[in-house]
Amino acid sequence: MPEARIQHFYDEPTGTLSYVVADEKSGHAAVIDPVIAYSMVSGRIDAAPSDAIIEYVHKEKLGVEWILETHAHADHVTGAQYIKSKLGGKVAIGEGICAVQAHFGPVFNLGAPFAADGHQFDKLFVDGDTFKIGEQECEVIATPGHTNDSVSYKIGSAVFVGDSMFMPDFGTGRCDFPGGDAELLYDSIQRILALPGDTRLYMCHDYMPGGRDLRWKCTVAEQQEKNIHVREDVSKAEFAEMRTERDATLNLPALIVPSIQVNIRAGHLPDAEDNDIVYLMTPVDTF
Ligand SMILES: [Fe+2]
């Protein structure tokens, strides 16, 4: 069977890669990790990054069955509900989202109406779950470590790895968010690197280190040989020490405060208050 067709979309301000994965025969498709722009200065939302995906889906006459999140992102606001409102599809994430919600619900004082049970999503995946995009066989590989809820999606011989790994010259995702764990991430990455060497890996971010051109995919073999953090001669202990030291030097993502509030709600904004205005809050001296 032919492999799924994969189109990438790059959101430059956040360095995020989103994808449309299409089964050519049926025209069924999945959208992976869509982005909505948010301005910290004005509080304005701009759907342009997701509109580019919608335009492509219309042009290619695709039917969206799934909107797949690799995790609750801390660096950009998801376009999942916006895409769903325009194109349909079921919004899915790993079941670890419940732990992420249980942590951040109290941080944002969401109270009892916000149940940390993942019900805001249409589907919670567990490790080993399978599903279809048209005739394409898809498998969920739980890859916690960057966050509790991180999953990778294997679609044919392509794997969408979320933030577990980046291109070989940038390494791996940070592990210092609540629920992050460098040793767990190492183990998760080993599961990906145990796949056949020619398996294609698709990144959720690329920051173009050293001013090189944008890159978004590589092979398992390339990661084993060249990844600056987890190539095959790096032990778990060496990785965990490096990752922990490096994480201590990183700034928080610029959009972490709005992103978490929207993304743990599966991309829904909070309800409007009685003046019909929607608010996102900023906890003081908390992050
Ligand atoms: Fe992330």
Side-chain angles (χ1 to χ4, degrees):
M1 185 171 63
E3 291 279 345
R5 177 159 41 114
I6 297 169
Q7 178 63 51
H8 70 281
F9 298 82
Y10 187 60
D11 179 55
E12 196 158 352
T14 63
T16 305
L17 286 146
S18 309
Y19 298 94
V20 174
V21 183
D23 174 45
E24 301 266 16
K25 193 168 170 194
S26 64
H28 293 181
V31 176
I32 301 180
D33 289 332
V35 175
I36 286 231
Y38 180 80
S39 165
M40 288 298 290
V41 177
S42 64
R44 286 253 166 215
I45 281 171
D46 179 358
S50 283
D51 283 334
I53 291 174
I54 291 165
E55 191 180 323
Y56 173 81
V57 166
H58 284 318
K59 180 167 69 76
E60 299 299 322
K61 298 183 169 55
L62 301 172
V64 171
E65 294 194 317
W66 291 99
I67 300 160
L68 304 172
E69 299 281 12
T70 54
H71 59 296
H73 309 276
D75 67 306
H76 66 269
V77 175
T78 176
Q81 293 301 328
Y82 182 76
I83 296 270
K84 181 179 173 177
S85 72
K86 302 286 184 187
L87 299 175
K90 295 189 282 285
V91 178
I93 199 164
E95 62 163 354
I97 187 64
C98 300
V100 179
Q101 291 174 326
H103 178 84
F104 283 109
V107 171
F108 290 103
N109 201 23
L110 300 184
F114 181 77
D117 60 3
H119 76 277
Q120 302 83 352
F121 294 81
D122 300 310
K123 175 74 182 171
L124 299 185
F125 285 128
V126 301
D127 185 48
D129 270 353
T130 58
F131 62 100
K132 285 194 153 193
I133 302 167
E135 296 189 3
Q136 299 289 330
E137 300 280 354
C138 311
E139 184 188 342
V140 178
I141 304 171
T143 44
H146 169 60
T147 59
N148 301 88
D149 62 333
S150 292
V151 294
S152 298
Y153 296 102
K154 182 175 183 298
I155 303 172
S157 71
V159 182
F160 297 83
V161 299
D163 288 1
S164 56
M165 263 182 276
F166 299 126
M167 291 302 293
D169 57 359
F170 203 78
T172 55
R174 65 195 298 174
C175 295
D176 59 336
F177 296 144
D181 183 322
E183 293 196 357
L184 197 55
L185 179 61
Y186 183 91
D187 291 340
S188 292
I189 290 172
Q190 297 314 309
R191 291 187 69 193
I192 301 292
L193 297 184
L195 294 166
D198 61 355
T199 305
R200 292 163 296 137
L201 306 180
Y202 287 81
M203 310 300 129
C204 182
H205 289 290
D206 190 62
Y207 303 106
M208 300 184 274
R212 68 152 166 71
D213 289 343
L214 177 69
R215 292 188 65 196
W216 59 91
K217 65 174 174 174
C218 65
T219 63
V220 162
E222 196 181 347
Q223 292 284 18
Q224 283 173 330
E225 188 189 340
K226 296 181 189 158
N227 188 292
I228 58 169
H229 295 166
V230 283
R231 59 179 186 276
E232 52 201 344
D233 59 344
V234 179
S235 72
K236 188 196 287 197
E238 287 170 331
F239 172 76
E241 187 182 345
M242 175 285 305
R243 189 67 265 174
T244 304
E245 280 176 12
R246 179 167 160 71
D247 288 346
T249 70
L250 299 177
N251 292 324
L252 286 176
L255 295 176
I256 187 169
V257 170
S259 297
I260 294 285
Q261 287 173 80
V262 178
N263 297 349
I264 63 173
R265 291 176 164 98
H268 291 289
L269 291 169
D271 290 338
E273 300 207 358
D274 57 12
N275 59 357
D276 291 334
I277 296 176
V278 171
Y279 291 85
L280 294 170
M281 61 166 76
T282 302
V284 175
D285 284 343
T286 301
F287 276 84

